[in-house]
Amino acid sequence: ATVVGCLVAYGSDSESENESEPNTSSEKVDPDAVSHLQPLTSGRKTSLSVLNSAPEVAVKEDVETGTHIDPSLKEVLYNPTYETMFAPEFGPVNPFKTQQMAAPRNMLSGYAEPAHVNDFMFEQQRRTFSTFGYALDPSVDSSQVSSSSYIGAVEEAEKKKGLTVFESGLKKEKRKRVKGGDASEIDSFLGPWAKYQDEKDVAKPSEEEQKELDEITAKRQKRGKNEEEAPAEEKTILHVKDAYDYQGRSYLHVPQDVGINLRSAEIPDKCYLPKKQLHVWTGHTKGVSAIRLFPGSGHLLLSCSMDCKIKV
């Protein structure tokens, strides 16, 4: 009550002061603008009104109030409803995009679905396709294999019943061996060395194979490949005039008039590689395979060649 009395006294003093001053403006004061300065009456009640600052907009269509999800979002941190997950996309559409560009895709060339294929199965189908021209369609369940499950040469796949390169159509039957007898009997026991029941000791060609062999033999006889060369006779040719000199010494005799003792075992003082070509021995028509010096003196060379000749 004391506070209210002070406010009333303050309001009356301010009004008296304003009245004493000359009124310079001719405008009227809005009573609502100074209503908060008036004293409160016990019989009058005031209420606050809620103001809506948003303008009223006329909407022709129903506005959806649900939460939309960005299609490019990789992770959702809450549990959306079915309608929210499969709601259509909103927004402007690029009119210049082709149908291929507008289609959903996650890579440049199209849409790749994540899949896991075993390395052996992938290599099996790849080799089968490169060999036979057909392979299993990876988009079809492998448990329900039919004619529509193959791509490529479907007719070839039906003929071979979908066999791969690692499978064969004919089942190999295991060959049976002749019974080897009892191991206690040494003479009749064969064991793992027993022959097969269908094994033949002598292999004879059939009539068609014999004709082919006869034709091949006739062709070889015409070319002269069937003729066996007779072994060459050993002979010796002497290229010098006489095998012995005037003193009766052979051409293999160690010379003694060369200024050095060839029979000595001591190494000579002057022993060096030649600086220029002194002589060339000719006579072999093919490559020389080995060269040996005459033992003890080294005054002769022994050469053997691939033309089946030995020269001294």
Side-chain angles (χ1 to χ4, degrees):
T2 308
V3 177
V4 175
C6 293
L7 288 175
V8 172
Y10 175 77
S12 60
D13 294 341
S14 61
E15 287 178 0
S16 61
E17 290 176 1
N18 291 334
E19 289 176 357
S20 61
E21 294 178 1
N23 190 7
T24 56
S25 61
S26 60
E27 295 180 357
K28 293 181 180 181
V29 180
D30 189 5
D32 295 335
V34 294
S35 60
H36 62 284
L37 300 176
Q38 300 296 328
L40 295 176
T41 57
S42 60
R44 186 178 179 182
K45 295 181 180 180
T46 58
S47 60
L48 298 176
S49 60
V50 180
L51 300 178
N52 187 8
S53 61
E56 295 182 0
V57 180
V59 181
K60 296 181 180 179
E61 300 176 357
D62 296 336
V63 178
E64 294 184 2
T65 58
T67 306
H68 295 279
I69 301 176
D70 186 6
S72 61
L73 195 63
K74 301 296 183 182
E75 182 181 1
V76 181
L77 301 178
Y78 63 95
N79 295 330
T81 60
Y82 177 83
E83 291 77 9
T84 306
M85 289 289 292
F86 293 92
E89 296 183 9
F90 290 94
V93 181
N94 188 357
F96 301 103
K97 275 189 176 182
T98 60
Q99 185 178 2
Q100 182 180 4
M101 294 290 292
R105 57 180 184 170
N106 55 4
M107 57 186 302
L108 186 62
S109 59
Y111 187 83
E113 295 182 357
H116 174 72
V117 181
N118 191 10
D119 294 339
F120 175 76
M121 294 297 295
F122 178 80
E123 191 67 18
Q124 180 186 27
Q125 296 302 322
R126 187 188 69 81
R127 291 189 180 185
T128 304
F129 187 80
S130 61
T131 305
F132 300 136
Y134 63 86
L136 279 173
D137 190 356
S139 61
V140 179
D141 190 3
S142 59
S143 60
Q144 302 175 355
V145 178
S146 60
S147 60
S148 61
S149 302
Y150 294 94
I151 56 175
V154 182
E155 297 179 356
E156 190 71 15
E158 292 178 355
K159 289 181 181 179
K160 296 187 177 183
K161 298 180 180 180
L163 294 177
T164 60
V165 291
F166 296 102
E167 299 173 352
S168 58
L170 300 176
K171 294 183 179 180
K172 294 183 180 180
E173 296 181 357
K174 191 175 181 180
R175 299 176 67 184
K176 295 182 180 180
R177 291 182 179 271
V178 179
K179 293 183 179 180
D182 190 4
S184 61
E185 298 177 2
I186 300 176
D187 297 334
S188 61
F189 179 66
L190 298 176
W193 299 276
K195 296 181 180 180
Y196 293 102
Q197 293 181 357
D198 56 347
E199 185 176 355
K200 296 180 181 179
D201 295 338
V202 180
K204 293 183 179 180
S206 60
E207 295 181 358
E208 296 180 356
E209 293 176 350
Q210 187 63 37
K211 289 181 181 179
E212 293 180 359
L213 292 174
D214 294 340
E215 292 177 359
I216 294 172
T217 307
K219 289 180 180 179
R220 288 185 177 178
Q221 288 178 355
K222 289 181 181 179
R223 295 176 183 175
K225 292 183 179 180
N226 198 23
E227 297 179 0
E228 296 182 358
E229 296 180 358
E233 297 179 359
E234 295 182 1
K235 58 182 179 178
T236 305
I237 299 175
L238 185 64
H239 294 286
V240 296
K241 292 181 180 180
D242 296 323
Y244 300 94
D245 59 357
Y246 66 98
Q247 293 183 355
R249 295 176 297 185
S250 172
Y251 67 94
L252 298 177
H253 183 71
V254 180
Q256 298 178 0
D257 55 350
V258 293
I260 188 172
N261 187 10
L262 297 176
R263 296 179 183 272
S264 176
E266 297 179 359
I267 301 174
D269 297 335
K270 294 182 180 181
C271 183
Y272 51 88
L273 293 174
K275 296 182 180 180
K276 62 179 180 179
Q277 181 178 325
L278 301 176
H279 185 74
V280 178
W281 281 274
T282 59
H284 290 298
T285 58
K286 291 185 179 181
V288 178
S289 57
I291 295 177
R292 298 291 182 271
L293 290 172
F294 197 85
S297 62
H299 71 289
L300 293 175
L301 284 176
L302 182 69
S303 63
C304 62
S305 173
M306 296 180 181
D307 57 359
C308 303
K309 292 181 181 180
I310 298 174
K311 287 186 176 288
V312 178

